[in-house]
Amino acid sequence: MQPMIKFKNVNKYYKDFHVLKNINLSVDEGEILCIIGPSGSGKSTLIRCINNLEDYEGSGEITVNNSIVRNDKSVKEIRKEVGMVFQSFNLYPHLTILDNVTLAPIRVIGLSQAEAKKIANNFLTKVGVGDQIKKFPYQLSGGQQQRVAIARALAMQPKILLFDEPTSSLDPEMVSEVLDVIKDLAKTGVTMIIATHEMRFARSVADKIIFMDNGSIIEEGDPVQIFDNSQEERTQSFLNSILVK
């Protein structure tokens, strides 16, 4: 069986800065992958390369559901299959919550307004903000806005969900509500890649974890291997520094 996502010898540069170094990674259909590591380690860049928000100008190849990401003709189709939840919500401030969620299904997939509204209402209810559809983003808390962003990604009915530090812009008391929504999504069988600083969350939800540092994958394994039986000194040092054990 072909992996849903595959990185093969991928390198990326920002001018002279080597931000991703020879990345080899496979993610199977339905797998939950969490990416951990210090800030600046390449976690967000790796995720953003999957749907070509970042072009990998160096060597290597990324495939998503057997389509090569670098192939310009395939990017639009890949983005239909890949939902993205950003750090800072990225909601349109001039649109209502409902309109934020229906916009892409109407314009990208070509759904009718009625179909898009039905799907949007379903997912907004699923993430716990179904009663907020007439409001604008500024009228919602940060946690509510991030749940709307998750509903927006789900409304495209993607095969893959990418989360780029989804709780980093939230107040501490709002973090758990967003993580609970993601935990529920993890039970649905959708393939998920999550860059996160929330170690307990990663341990509880992931099928596989990679630890990144300085643009490289230092260690890969299941949560028990990474958190309890790490074989890499750098991984151990990072985990000890944030008191995960």
Side-chain angles (χ1 to χ4, degrees), residues 125-144:
T125 299
K126 190 170 186 175
V127 301
V129 287
D131 57 345
Q132 307 292 326
I133 61 171
K134 295 182 179 180
K135 292 183 178 180
F136 290 87
Y138 76 89
Q139 296 174 296
L140 273 59
S141 70
Q144 288 175 318

Side-chain angles (χ1 to χ4, degrees), residues 59-242:
S59 61
E61 184 176 273
I62 302 172
T63 56
V64 175
N65 201 16
N66 295 321
S67 295
I68 300 174
V69 174
R70 184 172 276 165
N71 181 345
D72 291 339
K73 294 180 180 179
S74 71
V75 168
K76 184 175 180 180
E77 294 305 310
I78 286 171
R79 287 180 176 170
K80 289 180 181 180
E81 298 185 341
V82 180
M84 180 91 177
V85 179
F86 300 88
Q87 298 180 27
S88 54
F89 325 139
N90 287 12
L91 301 177
Y92 293 106
H94 63 291
L95 297 180
T96 66
I97 297 310
L98 182 61
D99 288 341
N100 262 281
V101 179
T102 59
L103 184 65
I106 292 171
R107 292 193 177 181
V108 178
I109 301 178
L111 296 185
S112 69
Q113 192 171 52
E115 290 173 316
K117 283 184 176 180
K118 182 177 179 180
I119 290 170
N121 276 308
N122 175 50
F123 285 119
L124 285 165
T125 299
K126 190 170 186 175
V127 301
V129 287
D131 57 345
Q132 307 292 326
I133 61 171
K134 295 182 179 180
K135 292 183 178 180
F136 290 87
Y138 76 89
Q139 296 174 296
L140 273 59
S141 70
Q144 288 175 318
Q145 289 187 59
Q146 192 60 298
R147 283 187 276 164
V148 172
I150 293 170
R152 179 180 59 185
L154 290 171
M156 292 291 288
Q157 302 180 72
K159 295 179 179 179
I160 299 164
L161 278 174
L162 308 177
F163 294 87
D164 183 11
E165 301 283 3
T167 61
S168 65
S169 297
L170 300 178
D171 293 332
E173 64 268 22
M174 297 176 182
V175 169
S176 61
E177 69 180 54
V178 172
L179 293 181
D180 285 344
V181 169
I182 299 173
K183 285 180 181 178
D184 287 340
L185 293 176
K187 301 172 185 175
T188 65
V190 65
T191 306
M192 296 169 64
I193 300 182
I194 309 164
T196 182
H197 286 297
E198 301 291 336
M199 297 299 108
R200 290 182 177 83
F201 164 75
R203 181 169 190 151
S204 68
V205 76
D207 298 308
K208 181 166 66 182
I209 293 176
I210 60 172
F211 170 70
M212 292 188 68
D213 188 35
N214 196 28
S216 298
I217 296 176
I218 305 300
E219 191 167 8
E220 176 180 331
D222 63 35
V224 173
Q225 177 182 333
I226 297 297
F227 289 107
D228 296 332
N229 299 301
S230 170
Q231 303 300 303
E232 296 291 336
E233 183 177 346
R234 181 65 186 96
T235 310
Q236 295 170 20
S237 173
F238 172 77
L239 294 175
N240 286 333
S241 73
I242 57 175

